[in-house]
Amino acid sequence: MAGTKEFRAFDSAILADRLAFMAIALFVTYLITLLSSILPVRLLDTDWQLRFISACLDSATIPLVALGLLHLAAYLDPENPTLQKRRDALARLAVMAVIGFLLIVPLQAFAGWNSVVAARANVARQLSVANGTFDLLQETITTATSLDNLQARLQAIQTPSLGIRFETMGLPLPDTKRRMLARLQEVRQEVAARIQAPTPKAIEAVVRDSLRVMLSSFALAIAFAMGAQRKGQEVPLLVEWHTAISLRGGPLPGLSSGASEEEYFSRLVPEEDDSSETGVPPPP
């Protein structure tokens, strides 16, 4: 019997080492994937912020599984001090992961809103530049004093992409102006049609994606909080938070207003069985 127990303990230790090695490999894989996705770092760039959030969430299950494997390995081999220290160290690092995923929620909200604002600002800027150019061309055509003057002034200010060419075709100055102004109006409408503000569907897509990211980040924060543990604490971070909120919010379930917190926690501990010490069962 003793040999069987020793063999099982040895087998558990081997399995714990394997799980710990797999956990470290998963952590390294996640870090490599994350770094390759966010380099070079541009903290103030909205596109980089969205790419960073996406990189964190797309592979977030990898470190979460790794953390669970490490906890399982430490449970299987409680006599391994190296494994216990490694588990404690990564459990403390998981606290930072919890905070990071919670911070993603406002960061995603800001980045999503900023992307919509930037798109609208870009449309407004393009329209302003185009309208300024068209107004200048219209004024140039209207105030021209002769065909030669009109041709010289258009060549000085016009960009090739507008397609407003000086073509007299033997027409006098008023008819030439009228033809060119009509063509200018057509080009103005074409450019305005190409420059479009974000559609409601595009905005809905941004909102939908932002909600998905924020809810996923919150769920991952809760999951990591169950595997995280602060230094000097005996319970996971999620249990610690739940206890603190329960104590602050009022009396705990089963605790009257006049009872103390020590009395409540003492009720959670089963009473000692005297028969375990004396070997005599309690009287009926």
Side-chain angles (χ1 to χ4, degrees), residues 65 73 96 111 125 189:
V65 171
M96 300 178 60
R125 182 171 58 254
Q189 293 176 357

Side-chain angles (χ1 to χ4, degrees), residues 237-250:
L237 183 64
L238 185 61
V239 176
E240 182 184 349
W241 284 354
H242 180 266
T243 303
I245 294 174
S246 300
L247 292 176
R248 183 177 299 179

Side-chain angles (χ1 to χ4, degrees), residues 154-176:
L154 286 176
Q155 290 176 350
I157 65 172
Q158 187 178 201
T159 60
S161 60
L162 292 178
I164 307 298
R165 298 181 178 86
F166 177 78
E167 298 178 357
T168 60
M169 299 178 62
L171 297 175
L173 180 62
D175 293 337
T176 301

Side-chain angles (χ1 to χ4, degrees), residues 29 42 57 74 85 91 105 133 182-183 187 193 200 213 248 264 275:
T29 302
R42 293 190 294 268
L57 292 181
K85 290 180 181 179
V105 175
T133 303
R183 175 57 184 163
V187 176
V213 170
R248 183 177 299 179
Y264 170 76
S275 61

